[in-house]
């Protein structure tokens, strides 16, 4: 029995002229042979779709497991790119993916539309009334969807079905080109192609903190790829809530140790009396309550990675013992004279300025230098520009599902408020803000709304500048807090590492690229702690 909420278009409707169709499709066909960024290919694809079939919004979504991920949008709010649509939560998407041809939904369909409230620039009109979706197949498998939406219920009455089918074939070819390019890049640069997937795996969710397109986000991604290919100790720094643990998880997931354990320890969560036991283990009778032998985190992480979060909280005594383990791979369980050999990569994280802690005598200089072989700074949210809106979109969709609403959206003044704010708590603060604001705004409604709009008043954010006294999101270079020698050493280390990755750890080829004598490169590598 045919679902009465779905209307199939037919070839008997008004046709586009062959000239108009050719004029629109020809540039896209030429693009197939040009070297273009993926985002630009997709942008041109959606622009052409709306030129041929005028509507209020279009989107290209890739199927990632059980979730549709927007890759490009045209006419939808910016935060849509950050949303992750679980297919089981959206019956229209499920219906589109189950078909092998374009499907148009009737204006009075009772299936909720995922884009209600997200169409840009339409004052007072929030719900989509004409919706068309087309599945895309690559190699006979469902790859994703192209969607076209309009607020006018009769917008697609005169749709030219043969023209749409021709466009869909070209859209599939465009997507296929991108997939083939990525396959070729994987052949030559395996680490780069694995980075985004590692981020998803590391976060345990759908790209949570690792949603973005800003330059700061891309630089972080590149650095993670570089250091993951080595076995160096990494010191991840950044403000509270930026996602330092997810960065550590990503480094492990991309490394040669990915199949081995990743053991985490929050150094601030344990009293000094228990830190040694947690790190190195203990033997029976080592202290009151030690009723049996117990392996510590380092032994559990043998062959893999240990992540020391809030490493700045460790006492000087524990720092000295950790330094010994990191230098020679040997440890003693608490209360034992026997030594155990371990092979563990260390990734540490802190929101403190450890260089300042060293100067103040609260942190060992030798331990600090051992930890910061490769320092990696995670940028604060205020430096990530419009990534804020993408992340907000992710959290809005999470709360829409949690609250059982058709849509949760941001008003224009709410978006502006998010971009103005300095975000001292970073991504974690944004997540809590969206959840709290949605719940309070819903509670304030007399009747349960189909579409909940969050305004700047609902967010209740201060417009004050950040702690530096400068407006948030200022486009300025990162402040340099290191001395000159340290900055030069960091630059040399990263340059050598990047070349090593390109040449698959071949030191001779690296020396040739850098224009160095192999013996000089060997001495430099030892000075930088790379050998």
């Amino acid at each position: 029995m045919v679902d009465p909420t779905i209307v199939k278009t037919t070839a008997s409707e008004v046709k586009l002229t062959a000239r108009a169709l050719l004029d629109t499709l020809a540039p896209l066909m030429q693009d197939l042979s040009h070297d273009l960024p993926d985002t630009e290919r997709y942008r041109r694809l959606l622009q052409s779709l709306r030129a041929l079939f005028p509507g209020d919004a279009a989107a290209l979504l890739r199927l990632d497991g059980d979730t549709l991920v927007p890759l490009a949008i045209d006419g939808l709010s910016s935060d849509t790119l950050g949303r992750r649509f679980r297919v089981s939560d959206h019956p229209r998407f499920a219906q589109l993916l189950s078909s092998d041809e374009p499907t148009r939904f009737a204006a009075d369909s009772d299936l909720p539309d995922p884009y209600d409230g997200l169409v840009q620039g339409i004052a007072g009109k929030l719900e989509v009334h004409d919706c068309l979706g087309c599945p895309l197949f690559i190699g006979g498998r469902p790859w994703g969807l192209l969607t076209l939406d309009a607020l006018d219920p009769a917008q697609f009455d005169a749709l030219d079905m043969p023209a749409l089918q021709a466009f869909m074939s070209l859209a599939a070819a465009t997507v296929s080109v991108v997939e083939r390019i990525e396959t070729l890049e994987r052949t030559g640069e395996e680490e780069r192609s694995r980075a985004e997937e590692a981020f998803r795996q590391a976060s345990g969710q759908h790209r949570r903190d690792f949603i973005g397109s800003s330059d700061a986000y891309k630089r972080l991604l590149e650095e993670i790829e570089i250091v993951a290919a080595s076995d160096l100790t990494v010191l991840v720094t950044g403000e509270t809530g930026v996602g330092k643990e997810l960065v550590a998880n990503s480094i492990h997931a991309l490394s040669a140790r990915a199949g081995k354990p990743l053991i985490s320890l929050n150094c601030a969560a344990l009293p000094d009396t228990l830190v040694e036991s947690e790190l190195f283990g203990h033997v029976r009778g080592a202290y009151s309550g030690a009723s049996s032998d117990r392996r510590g985190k380092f032994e559990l992480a043998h062959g893999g990675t240990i992540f020391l979060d809030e490493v700045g909280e460790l006492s000087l005594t524990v720092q000295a013992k950790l330094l010994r383990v990191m230098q020679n791979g040997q440890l003693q369980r608490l209360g034992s004279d026997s030594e155990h050999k371990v092979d563990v990569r260390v990734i540490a994280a802190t929101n403190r300025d450890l260089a300042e802690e060293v100067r103040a005598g609260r942190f060992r200089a030798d331990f600090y230098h051992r930890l910061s072989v490769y320092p990696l700074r995670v940028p604060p949210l205020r430096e990530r520009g419009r990534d804020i809106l993408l992340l907000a979109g992710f959290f809005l969709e999470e709360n829409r599902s949690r609250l059982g609403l058709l849509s949760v959206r941001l008003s224009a003044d709410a978006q502006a408020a998010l971009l103005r704010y300095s975000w001292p708590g970073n991504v974690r603060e944004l997540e809590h803000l969206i959840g709290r604001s949605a719940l309070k705004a819903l509670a304030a409604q007399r009747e349960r709304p189909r579409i909940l709009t969050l305004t700047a008043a609902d967010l209740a954010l201060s417009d004050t500048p950040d702690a530096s006294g400068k407006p948030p999101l200022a486009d300025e270079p990162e402040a340099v807090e290191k001395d000159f020698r340290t900055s030069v050493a960091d630059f040399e280390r990263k340059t050598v590492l990047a070349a090593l990755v390109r040449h698959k750890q071949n030191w001779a080829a690296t020396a040739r690229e850098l224009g160095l004598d192999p013996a000089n490169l060997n001495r430099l590598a030892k000075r930088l702690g790379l050998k």
Side-chain angles (χ1 to χ4, degrees):
M1 182 175 179
V2 178
D3 186 337
T5 64
I6 298 172
V7 178
K8 300 290 183 180
T9 56
T10 68
S12 62
E13 294 168 337
V14 177
K15 304 293 186 295
L16 289 168
T17 66
R19 181 70 180 181
L21 182 61
L22 183 60
D23 287 346
T24 304
L25 297 185
L28 288 178
M29 289 187 284
Q30 292 174 356
D31 286 348
L32 295 177
S33 61
H34 294 164
D35 184 14
L36 295 172
D38 298 351
T39 52
E40 180 62 15
R41 287 186 193 278
Y42 295 150
R43 185 188 69 81
R44 296 186 186 191
L45 184 69
L46 293 186
Q47 281 188 335
S48 299
L49 176 63
R50 290 186 66 188
L52 278 175
F53 313 104
D56 293 303
L60 175 67
L61 306 99
R62 186 190 68 235
L63 185 61
D64 185 2
D66 65 346
T67 301
L68 283 166
V69 179
L71 298 184
I73 56 173
D74 191 355
L76 295 170
S77 61
S78 299
D79 61 83
T80 306
L81 280 174
R83 295 176 185 252
R84 300 297 180 259
F85 300 103
R86 193 174 292 108
V87 176
S88 59
D89 290 346
H90 296 282
R92 289 205 187 201
F93 283 153
Q95 182 70 58
L96 293 174
L97 288 169
S98 67
S99 175
D100 58 0
E101 60 183 15
T103 300
R104 181 187 175 198
F105 293 88
D108 60 353
S109 170
D110 58 1
L111 298 180
D113 193 292
Y115 301 137
D116 279 348
L118 302 183
V119 178
Q120 283 185 321
I122 310 295
K125 297 177 69 176
L126 300 179
E127 296 187 22
V128 174
H129 288 291
D130 207 349
C131 172
L132 180 71
C134 309
L136 289 173
F137 294 88
I138 302 297
R141 294 175 140 189
W143 179 92
L145 295 174
L146 259 180
T147 61
L148 190 60
D149 294 271
L151 300 174
D152 180 355
Q155 184 71 38
F156 305 135
D157 281 353
L159 192 72
D160 185 339
M161 189 60 171
L164 179 61
Q165 294 284 18
F167 185 89
M168 291 307 300
S169 297
L170 191 53
T174 298
V175 169
S176 181
V177 164
V178 173
E179 294 286 307
R180 288 177 182 275
I181 290 173
E182 289 179 353
T183 299
L184 290 173
E185 289 177 348
R186 275 197 298 272
T187 303
E189 299 180 64
E190 292 184 8
E191 301 306 326
R192 176 174 299 182
S193 66
R194 291 167 54 201
E196 288 282 359
E197 177 61 26
F199 278 175
R200 285 199 298 280
Q201 296 297 327
S203 69
Q205 297 187 35
H206 295 283
R207 283 190 177 87
R208 224 182 120 131
D209 295 39
F210 290 108
I211 293 172
S213 59
S214 65
D215 289 342
Y217 165 82
K218 292 175 182 176
R219 284 194 298 271
L220 175 64
L221 185 66
E222 290 169 356
E223 286 212 71
I224 288 174
E225 293 167 13
I226 288 171
V227 73
S230 72
D231 210 26
L232 298 179
T233 301
V234 182
L235 179 62
V236 184
T237 61
E239 299 175 7
T240 297
V242 294
K244 296 187 289 293
E245 184 172 2
L246 298 186
V247 169
N249 292 348
S250 299
I251 292 172
H252 175 75
L254 282 168
S255 74
R257 297 174 179 261
K260 299 292 184 178
L262 169 63
I263 304 297
S264 299
L265 178 67
N266 187 335
C267 301
L270 292 171
D272 286 346
T273 53
L274 293 179
V275 170
E276 281 192 61
S277 175
E278 283 295 315
L279 286 171
F280 311 125
H282 62 252
V283 296
R284 181 180 180 182
Y287 58 86
S288 178
S291 57
S292 61
D293 291 358
R294 182 173 182 271
R295 292 189 299 165
K297 300 295 187 186
F298 268 88
E299 286 188 76
L300 293 174
H302 180 66
T305 304
I306 188 167
F307 173 56
L308 303 176
D309 199 8
E310 303 296 347
V311 71
E313 306 296 326
L314 292 174
S315 68
L316 293 173
T317 301
V318 175
Q319 290 174 34
K321 294 185 177 182
L322 264 174
L323 178 63
R324 180 172 179 269
V325 175
M326 292 174 65
Q327 285 176 332
N328 58 29
Q330 292 181 325
L331 60 82
Q332 288 179 310
R333 293 179 183 174
L334 200 61
S336 171
D337 293 328
S338 301
E339 290 194 336
H340 297 267
K341 189 78 174 176
V342 292
D343 171 25
V344 176
R345 181 187 194 173
V346 175
I347 302 176
T350 182
N351 57 11
R352 291 191 180 191
D353 181 348
L354 291 190
E356 179 57 37
E357 295 292 296
V358 169
R359 288 190 287 270
R362 293 186 293 267
F363 206 85
R364 292 179 62 106
D366 50 3
F367 186 49
Y368 168 64
H369 292 303
R370 190 72 188 184
L371 284 177
S372 58
V373 174
Y374 193 101
L376 197 162
R377 174 180 177 270
V378 184
L381 190 53
R382 63 180 170 274
E383 292 181 9
R384 293 180 58 184
R386 296 184 70 83
D387 283 358
I388 293 169
L389 296 183
L390 304 191
L391 287 160
F394 178 88
F395 296 128
L396 287 166
E397 179 63 19
E398 270 195 338
N399 282 276
R400 180 210 63 77
S401 177
R402 186 179 300 127
L403 298 174
L405 296 170
L406 173 66
S407 178
V408 182
R409 65 190 293 268
L410 295 170
S411 66
D413 67 337
Q415 292 187 33
L418 291 178
L419 292 173
R420 280 196 306 268
Y421 187 56
S422 58
W423 299 107
N426 294 288
V427 179
R428 187 180 299 127
E429 181 184 6
L430 174 61
E431 177 183 12
H432 294 163
L433 172 73
I434 296 294
R436 181 174 64 250
S437 300
L439 190 59
K440 289 176 68 175
L442 181 61
Q445 302 288 323
R446 292 186 178 181
E447 296 182 2
R448 188 175 183 84
R450 285 171 54 81
I451 299 173
L452 181 66
T453 301
L454 301 184
T455 66
D458 292 321
L459 300 177
L461 289 172
S462 167
D463 291 342
T464 54
D466 63 24
S468 68
K470 300 173 184 177
L473 302 178
D475 187 16
E476 298 181 358
E478 177 186 342
V480 178
E481 298 179 356
K482 306 172 187 174
D483 60 75
F484 179 74
R485 288 175 182 266
T486 302
S487 298
V488 170
D490 286 349
F491 174 77
E492 290 176 327
R493 186 180 294 108
K494 291 178 181 180
T495 301
V496 172
L497 278 170
L500 269 174
V501 170
R502 285 193 293 272
H503 294 291
K504 302 186 184 302
Q505 308 300 314
N506 185 315
W507 286 91
T510 298
R512 286 194 296 272
E513 178 185 328
L514 298 176
L516 295 174
D517 181 83
N520 290 338
L521 177 60
N522 186 57
R523 284 191 289 271
L524 176 64
K526 288 181 177 179
R527 178 169 63 81
L528 296 174
L530 302 180
K531 277 193 171 184

